[in-house]
Amino acid sequence: MNKVGKVSFFRSIHFKFTVIYILLIIIAMQIIGVYFVGKLESSLRENFEDSVNQRVKLLSYSIEQEIVKDRKEEDPTLEEDINAVLSDVATGDDKLEVRVIDTDSRVRGISDPNKFDMIGKRTPDGMIKRSLLLGQVEETVMIDNGERIQKSSTPIFRSPQNQDIIGAIYVEASMEEIFSQMRVINGILASGTAISLGITGILGILLARTITRPLSDMRRQAIELAKGNFSRKVRVYGHDEIGQLAHTFNHLTDELEEAHSQTEDERKKLSSVIAHMTNGVIATDRNGHVILINDPALQKLNVSRETALQMPITHLLAIEDEFSFNHLIKEQDSLILDISTQDRPYILRVNFSVIQKKKDRVEGLIAVIHDITEQELIDEERREFVANVSHELRTPLTTMRSYLEALAEGAWKDEQIAPQFLNVTQTETERMIRLVNDLLQLSKLDSKDYRFNRDWINFTAFFNRIIDRFEMTKEQHITFNRLLPDESLYVEIDTDKITQVLDNIISNALKYSPEGGEITFRVEIQDKYLVISVRDQGVGIPKDSVDKIFDRFYRVDKARSRKLGGTGLGLAIAKEMINAHDGDIWAKSTDGMGTTIFFTLPYEEDQEDDWT
């Protein structure tokens, strides 16, 4: 997941909301200002024009009276009367200049005393001429030395009934007072707008905080949720839509916590099951790369977790030359992996299961690894055991059938041959009986319910008695050498079973000892065991066969063993009996120089005092 950093102020909703709010206020103020200023300017200009027109009308009436008045010689001149009328205009506060023009376009009067020199002169102004000619009011606005001036020319009629033009009134009125007022008003409006914007900005920030503060709190909550912290809650600031959103967010947090807790529990259960499985488990992604592997799988495949993760499963199982990942997805049967070494056999069975989230879409593969080495060895031993038993039974049965057929065909009448044939048949029958008895003995030893009848006995005396029995019945000229301790050594054993063990070992020593040889019997105490050994001076056992002589039906020299009547089960039975006594049995031999059979029995010197 990408790390979410802190949002800068200029990228935040807080800033954007405030800017938008201020822009809206600016636009509103501008619209209001433009409308207000436009209307105010229009109103001021209309008032100004009305005021000027009213004064022009009064002047027009007064001047018309002066022009049409009958004058006497002693009366003032027309110019003096007109200037007297215009003097009232000159004394006013308004910046107003009035000129009276006759029909010849000559100036008859002027309100500005500084321009009396213009009286009597013609004016070239075309606006005045048009007004005198057309009898219409002419108006215009111009800028003179940066000052706005309204100029107008109004015709003077003789009377309302008589529309003869007798002159014109030319007026120049300064409009700077209007625009000065407008500048003051615009300044006031700008100041008001600035103050409004300042107040609006503060209010916008405060208002934006009421919206962005809950959102920022929810953002922090989302970050904490991503970290797995479900204890934090969003503060509810109100009962509006944002408050409802905060309530919903807190409810979502509770639901996520519950779902996460359930998922975590299920994950822990699954992890615990996978971790404690004796079978190896491997999971892959959709591309066949390992994403999960438990400890038993690592041990079985002899790899480290760092090496196995993200490795293709075909490479991990060393089957990339035979199978691709797509083949494994379609594989219905289990695969047998033989990774045996020279030191030990090791056989694995791998079963595959496809992970599918959607129909026809493979999300990965689950491989379960079983160690079937022991099962395969057992199956191999079983097959070998059946083959050996079949062979051991077939040989005497075949011999017996041959001799019985010969007897049936008339050999029984021959007094010399018949007894020999019957003797061979009897020998083979006894051999089969011994074989069956040994098999029954092994079957009992394999049974978990088989019990031993143990007693505390003096092993030194017990061993001497067995040696004495063989020494009295031996036929070869073989010397018995006893290296036994003089003191009593008490052990808890089943005397019948240990007798059978010693009988098998000593019988083998006698069978394979040469004429005039020596058999050495020894008992030693090592740690908490008695170590019993029987050594002969026979032909010995090849090195590669020493560890196999305790296997069932194994013979080093099969021809000689059968000739001597052996079944190949004596040492196997001895091994089972010694193991049942919590001891061990093994052999040491040099080919051509004899063999020594060792076995141990538990011995506790402290308990010996109870029996002496």
Side-chain angles (χ1 to χ4, degrees):
M1 184 184 75
N2 294 330
K3 186 177 180 181
V4 180
K6 184 177 180 180
V7 179
S8 64
F9 175 75
F10 294 103
R11 293 184 178 180
S12 64
I13 296 178
H14 197 154
F15 175 74
K16 294 177 182 179
F17 185 87
T18 303
V19 168
I20 292 173
Y21 188 64
I22 292 175
L23 288 176
L24 290 175
I25 296 299
I26 291 175
I27 293 171
M29 292 294 292
Q30 289 299 316
I31 293 174
I32 294 172
V34 169
Y35 179 78
F36 172 75
V37 170
K39 287 292 185 181
L40 181 60
E41 182 179 355
S42 176
S43 176
L44 289 175
R45 292 186 69 166
E46 288 178 0
N47 291 336
F48 176 78
E49 291 174 356
D50 290 342
S51 176
V52 171
N53 291 334
Q54 289 294 330
R55 297 180 72 175
V56 168
K57 287 180 180 180
L58 292 174
L59 287 173
S60 176
Y61 176 77
S62 299
I63 291 172
E64 183 263 331
Q65 294 296 320
E66 294 296 334
I67 292 175
V68 299
K69 182 173 73 171
D70 293 332
R71 296 185 182 278
K72 299 177 181 179
E73 292 184 1
E74 64 274 14
D75 293 335
T77 64
L78 177 62
E79 286 79 3
E80 290 175 347
D81 289 337
I82 291 174
N83 287 331
V85 174
L86 295 179
S87 63
D88 294 335
V89 177
T91 58
D93 295 331
D94 297 332
K95 293 181 179 181
L96 189 67
E97 182 181 340
V98 181
R99 300 175 190 174
V100 178
I101 312 299
D102 61 12
T103 55
D104 294 331
S105 299
R106 292 181 184 276
V107 178
R108 288 295 185 176
I110 189 168
S111 62
D112 188 358
N114 297 322
K115 297 181 179 180
F116 281 167
D117 57 344
M118 295 178 63
I119 297 174
K121 295 181 179 180
R122 290 179 180 275
T123 178
D125 197 325
M127 184 176 64
I128 296 175
K129 292 179 179 181
R130 288 193 300 272
S131 180
L132 291 172
L133 181 62
L134 300 176
Q136 296 178 354
V137 178
E138 297 287 336
E139 292 182 348
T140 185
V141 177
M142 61 177 295
I143 297 175
D144 186 7
N145 294 326
E147 186 178 0
R148 292 180 180 85
I149 297 174
Q150 183 182 30
K151 296 180 178 182
S152 65
S153 177
T154 305
I156 302 173
F157 299 99
R158 185 172 295 276
S159 66
Q161 294 79 19
N162 189 350
Q163 293 295 313
D164 293 337
I165 297 173
I166 60 175
I169 298 176
Y170 175 76
V171 179
E172 290 185 0
S174 175
M175 300 179 69
E176 281 304 309
E177 185 67 23
I178 296 175
F179 289 99
S180 177
Q181 292 179 7
M182 292 303 302
R183 283 194 293 272
V184 172
I185 292 171
N186 284 333
I188 295 172
L189 185 61
S191 300
T193 302
I195 294 172
S196 299
L197 288 177
I199 297 174
T200 300
I202 295 173
L203 293 176
I205 292 173
L206 296 176
L207 180 61
R209 286 189 62 189
T210 61
I211 298 176
T212 59
R213 184 169 52 181
L215 295 178
S216 298
D217 196 14
M218 293 178 196
R219 172 182 171 273
R220 289 191 293 270
Q221 175 69 6
I223 294 174
E224 292 298 321
L225 288 178
K227 295 178 181 178
N229 180 15
F230 298 97
S231 60
R232 190 180 184 278
K233 292 292 185 288
V234 177
R235 183 177 176 182
V236 180
Y237 293 93
H239 300 285
D240 54 5
E241 290 84 350
I242 296 179
Q244 293 177 357
L245 179 61
H247 277 296
T248 305
F249 210 93
N250 289 332
H251 178 68
L252 175 63
T253 300
D254 295 336
E255 293 295 325
L256 285 176
E257 182 178 11
E258 180 66 22
H260 182 270
S261 177
Q262 294 179 357
T263 303
E264 189 66 18
D265 290 342
E266 294 298 326
R267 188 190 66 80
K268 289 181 179 179
K269 291 178 183 178
L270 181 60
S271 299
S272 178
V273 170
I274 292 177
H276 291 85
M277 286 180 63
T278 56
N279 296 325
V281 177
I282 302 173
T284 73
D285 58 16
R286 66 180 63 181
N287 297 318
H289 293 89
V290 176
I291 58 175
L292 182 146
I293 183 169
N294 65 351
D295 291 337
L298 295 174
Q299 295 172 0
K300 287 177 171 59
L301 298 176
N302 193 26
V303 294
S304 64
R305 191 178 301 277
E306 293 76 12
T307 303
L309 290 177
Q310 297 304 319
M311 179 186 291
I313 188 172
T314 54
H315 182 67
L316 181 63
L317 299 178
I319 57 174
E320 65 271 19
D321 294 336
E322 302 177 15
F323 298 93
S324 66
F325 181 66
N326 291 330
H327 289 152
L328 296 182
I329 293 175
K330 299 175 182 178
E331 184 66 36
Q332 299 295 326
D333 299 329
S334 58
L335 295 181
I336 303 299
L337 304 179
D338 190 351
I339 54 176
S340 302
T341 62
Q342 294 181 351
D343 299 331
R344 66 185 183 109
Y346 202 36
I347 302 173
L348 303 176
R349 185 177 71 243
V350 186
N351 294 325
F352 298 99
S353 177
V354 178
I355 304 173
Q356 287 183 325
K357 287 187 177 180
K358 294 182 179 179
K359 187 176 181 181
D360 299 330
R361 180 177 177 181
V362 176
E363 295 293 334
L365 197 66
I366 295 291
V368 181
I369 303 175
H370 309 269
D371 183 357
I372 59 171
T373 304
E374 184 176 354
Q375 179 182 346
E376 288 293 317
L377 292 177
I378 291 174
D379 290 343
E380 180 64 27
E381 289 179 358
R382 177 182 56 79
R383 290 190 293 269
E384 185 177 351
F385 178 78
V386 172
N388 287 330
V389 171
S390 300
H391 181 74
E392 293 296 331
L393 289 175
R394 183 178 60 188
T395 300
L397 286 173
T398 301
T399 302
M400 290 172 61
R401 186 180 66 179
S402 300
Y403 281 91
L404 289 174
E405 288 177 351
L407 290 172
E409 291 175 356
W412 62 273
K413 297 179 181 180
D414 192 328
E415 295 180 358
Q416 294 182 353
I417 297 177
Q420 296 178 5
F421 283 9
L422 291 174
N423 184 44
V424 171
T425 302
Q426 184 179 3
T427 302
E428 295 299 328
T429 302
E430 291 175 354
R431 179 181 169 187
M432 285 192 297
I433 292 173
R434 288 195 303 272
L435 177 61
V436 172
N437 288 335
D438 288 344
L439 291 174
L440 290 174
Q441 185 71 39
L442 283 173
S443 177
K444 291 179 180 179
L445 292 173
D446 290 336
S447 175
K448 295 181 180 180
D449 297 332
Y450 189 77
R451 296 182 180 181
F452 289 90
N453 297 317
R454 303 192 184 198
D455 293 316
W456 287 95
I457 65 164
N458 180 359
F459 189 79
T460 304
F462 169 74
F463 197 11
N464 276 315
R465 286 196 299 272
I466 293 177
I467 298 173
D468 291 341
R469 175 162 52 81
F470 277 94
E471 193 171 20
M472 287 186 296
T473 58
K474 68 181 179 178
E475 297 179 358
Q476 305 103 310
H477 297 287
I478 298 174
T479 303
F480 281 9
N481 184 17
R482 308 188 192 195
L483 301 177
L484 307 181
D486 295 332
E487 68 272 17
S488 299
L489 302 175
Y490 282 88
V491 292
E492 187 180 18
I493 60 174
D494 186 325
T495 55
D496 290 339
K497 303 300 181 291
I498 299 302
T499 298
Q500 187 175 355
V501 170
L502 290 172
D503 285 349
N504 283 328
I505 295 173
I506 297 174
S507 296
N508 286 337
L510 288 172
K511 288 178 184 178
Y512 297 103
S513 292
E515 190 72 22
E518 181 180 89
I519 297 177
T520 302
F521 306 93
R522 187 188 301 270
V523 176
E524 296 177 331
I525 301 175
Q526 293 182 6
D527 296 332
K528 294 184 179 182
Y529 288 93
L530 292 184
V531 181
I532 300 97
S533 63
V534 178
R535 183 178 183 276
D536 62 48
Q537 295 179 339
V539 295
I541 303 172
K543 184 177 181 180
D544 58 349
S545 299
V546 172
D547 295 333
K548 299 178 181 179
I549 63 174
F550 297 99
D551 295 342
R552 299 177 184 186
F553 292 108
Y554 184 82
R555 297 186 182 91
V556 178
D557 187 348
K558 296 183 179 180
R560 186 179 179 191
S561 296
R562 289 195 180 95
K563 183 177 180 181
L564 295 174
T567 63
L569 296 175
L571 290 179
I573 294 173
K575 179 181 179 181
E576 296 291 339
M577 291 182 175
I578 294 300
N579 290 339
H581 280 80
D582 299 323
D584 195 11
I585 186 169
W586 70 96
K588 290 183 179 180
S589 180
T590 302
D591 195 11
M593 298 183 64
T595 302
T596 304
I597 304 295
F598 299 87
F599 70 89
T600 61
L601 292 174
Y603 171 72
E604 296 183 11
E605 188 174 358
D606 295 339
Q607 292 184 352
E608 184 180 10
D609 297 336
D610 299 336
W611 297 92
T612 57

